[in-house]
Amino acid sequence: MVRDALIGVFSGFYIVPLYALEHVAREPRMTLLIRRATQYSSRRAEISRFGSGSSRRFVLRKESRSRSMNGYEESVTLEGTSMTVALFLHLISVVVWVGGMFLAYVCVRPTAAEVLEPPQRLRLWEGVFRRFFPWVWAAVILILGSGFYMMGQMAPVRMYVMVMAAIGVVMSMIFMHIYFAPFGRLKRGVAAQDWKGAGAALGQIRMLVGVNLALGLLNVAVAVLGRGS
Ligand code: HEM
């Protein structure tokens, strides 16, 4: 009996250092499972600390997916980072588009009407839109791309995100109409010095940009207030 006890103790002394060595060197399956178990319990603790809203759903989704992949940490950071990059691209595009519409509609429009005669005013707007719209195209592509990507990471997708997506798609369609219809007429009218035709086209652009600005500001409210609900 004494012999068994001694063997038990020594093998303990033998296994622990071996275990530590192997843990550092090759991490056999058993230790991987132990490591995952310890990480899982600390992660559950972290999730319960995270509280409500999309972040909890997002973490849960991450957790269940990554438990089956090799290397727990790598997959978590990859998804976290891509979501953060998507949200950054989403927000920087919103700033450029909605911010640009705000400056044009609220500040430049009344000033141009105050200080410029119709031909100069129409040339000014043709130039402003010719420079602004390529940025809006980039913003529309990035907002839709990042928005649908982030939606793909969410389960379930909450109502406020669906409302934001619908409003965002309507805004994108209004912009495409502006670009291919009245903006084309404005460019041709200015080139032909047809100030009446160009003026009518500018009037339609002004009305549609006003609608898109209101929808854009509404969408920021839906996104931020919806997230907190
Ligand atoms: C111009 C239109 C849009 C505006 C102004 C807008 C605005 C925003 C803002 C401000 C946020 C950040 C919310 C926060 O972190 O508190 C956000 C997040 C988000 N947006 Fe948009 N968005 C627009 C279009 C879209 C579209 C078209 C989609 C889908 C196709 C979309 C899907 C999302 C998603 C999934 C999130 C992350 C929500 C979360 O993490 O809770 N957005 N958006």
Side-chain angles (χ1 to χ4, degrees):
M1 193 178 79
V2 173
R3 194 174 67 87
D4 292 346
L6 284 173
I7 290 170
V9 170
F10 279 107
S11 57
F13 275 120
Y14 164 73
I15 288 176
V16 173
L18 247 182
Y19 158 73
L21 256 177
E22 286 211 39
H23 178 72
V24 176
R26 265 185 327 104
E27 210 173 356
R29 185 136 196 77
M30 198 246 308
T31 50
L32 181 64
L33 289 173
I34 292 170
R35 188 166 74 83
R36 281 237 183 111
T38 43
Q39 277 172 337
Y40 178 68
S41 53
S42 64
R43 195 91 190 126
R44 300 293 310 162
E46 189 184 333
I47 289 166
S48 55
R49 203 160 23 85
F50 242 101
S52 70
S54 61
S55 47
R56 185 166 187 280
R57 258 187 307 286
F58 181 54
V59 169
L60 272 176
R61 192 176 162 84
K62 272 194 287 191
E63 184 230 302
S64 57
R65 197 184 282 170
S66 53
R67 240 184 301 135
S68 60
M69 291 165 77
N70 281 336
Y72 183 90
E73 269 127 19
E74 288 81 33
S75 59
V76 167
T77 28
L78 189 63
E79 278 198 5
T81 310
S82 62
M83 188 69 173
T84 309
V85 170
L87 193 57
F88 167 73
L89 292 174
H90 198 74
L91 292 180
I92 198 93
S93 305
V94 165
V95 168
V96 167
W97 188 11
V98 179
M101 287 194 288
F102 183 89
L103 178 75
Y105 195 85
V106 177
C107 311
V108 183
R109 181 181 61 85
T111 311
E114 238 172 57
V115 300
L116 296 175
E117 293 306 315
Q120 281 74 30
R121 207 183 312 156
L122 290 162
R123 281 204 186 93
L124 168 81
W125 281 118
E126 191 274 335
V128 167
F129 292 142
R130 188 159 26 84
R131 290 174 178 83
F132 181 47
F133 285 170
W135 290 103
V136 178
W137 271 113
V140 165
I141 292 164
L142 284 175
I143 286 173
L144 293 177
S146 61
F148 284 119
Y149 170 76
M150 290 189 285
M151 274 174 88
Q153 307 297 312
M154 294 176 152
V157 177
R158 292 178 58 190
M159 181 51 77
Y160 80 94
V161 172
M162 292 201 254
V163 171
M164 182 186 355
I167 294 174
V169 168
V170 168
M171 288 176 67
S172 306
M173 289 160 72
I174 291 175
F175 167 67
M176 289 175 204
H177 171 71
I178 291 173
Y179 188 82
F180 291 115
F183 180 50
R185 289 198 295 277
L186 175 67
K187 281 191 290 188
R188 287 191 297 278
V190 167
Q193 301 195 357
D194 165 17
W195 306 126
K196 196 160 171 291
L202 182 64
Q204 200 187 359
I205 295 174
R206 182 179 54 236
M207 187 272 290
L208 291 170
V209 167
V211 170
N212 255 1
L213 175 58
L215 288 177
L217 295 173
L218 172 67
N219 236 1
V220 172
V222 167
V224 177
L225 303 178
R227 188 179 176 153
S229 65

